[in-house]
Amino acid sequence: RKKSRRGSGKSGSVTTVAILNYGFGGLCLLCSWGSVGFGAMIRDLFQRAAAQGGGQQLLLDPDVLMVIFMVLGVVYLILAILMIVGGIGLQQRKPYGRYITFATSIIAILLALFSCVSLVGNIIAGQGAGICGALFGILLWGGYGVFALITMIGSGREFE
């Protein structure tokens, strides 16, 4: 195996994945807080609209909608914790960092596949903003997932 210039034997790609884990972990943490706050705001907004007597039936009960956003917030929080802890493990070249990053990269690839399904649905519905959002999800999650997975597969020696 080729040594780096500093002679440490640490590859830059593993360090890059650690940095990406920190960045995506921070974004997931923000999304977690935003999801919980947005869920509460939407519930209050729908309840006010119903109280004003619009007389229209809502597709979802506002409380159910809030629970959906709360669950989404918890999922984002768990993913954020996993990514940040995985980044710390990768930076220190600990095996747990590699295992956690395997898991988070597979989750990211699944999120990219979900974005592909969303893309098809938005194309069929003709929703331009939804198409852009789905493409962004595919590129963001898919790019991270594939890069992290390939890096973790090829970097086993650094974690021994």
Side-chain angles (χ1 to χ4, degrees):
R1 181 161 170 87
K2 191 186 266 188
K3 295 269 184 181
S4 67
R5 286 183 223 168
R6 294 182 303 227
S8 66
K10 294 182 178 181
S11 72
S13 59
V14 173
T15 303
T16 301
V17 173
I19 293 168
L20 288 173
N21 276 0
Y22 293 140
F24 278 104
L27 286 175
C28 285
L29 194 58
L30 290 174
C31 287
S32 171
W33 294 336
S35 180
V36 170
F38 187 71
M41 183 182 73
I42 289 294
R43 183 193 70 186
D44 290 342
L45 182 68
F46 282 169
Q47 284 178 342
R48 285 186 203 155
Q52 290 178 356
Q56 294 183 357
Q57 181 69 23
L58 298 174
L59 292 175
L60 281 175
D61 181 23
D63 291 328
V64 172
L65 194 59
M66 185 190 72
V67 168
I68 290 170
F69 277 100
M70 295 290 179
V71 169
L72 186 61
V74 170
V75 170
Y76 272 126
L77 180 63
I78 292 168
L79 188 57
I81 292 168
L82 286 174
M83 293 187 102
I84 292 169
V85 170
I88 293 168
L90 287 181
Q91 193 171 9
Q92 297 174 353
R93 301 305 194 264
K94 301 286 185 185
Y96 75 85
R98 185 169 182 243
Y99 301 140
I100 290 173
T101 303
F102 268 125
T104 57
S105 63
I106 290 169
I107 291 169
I109 290 170
L110 291 174
L111 287 171
L113 291 175
F114 178 73
S115 292
C116 288
V117 172
S118 175
L119 176 66
V120 171
N122 283 308
I123 289 173
I124 291 171
Q127 299 292 324
I131 293 170
C132 291
L135 285 172
F136 183 72
I138 292 167
L139 294 174
L140 190 73
W141 288 113
Y144 162 77
V146 169
F147 178 70
L149 193 60
I150 289 171
T151 301
M152 292 301 99
I153 289 171
S155 66
R157 292 185 184 160
E158 289 187 46
F159 294 92
E160 294 175 347

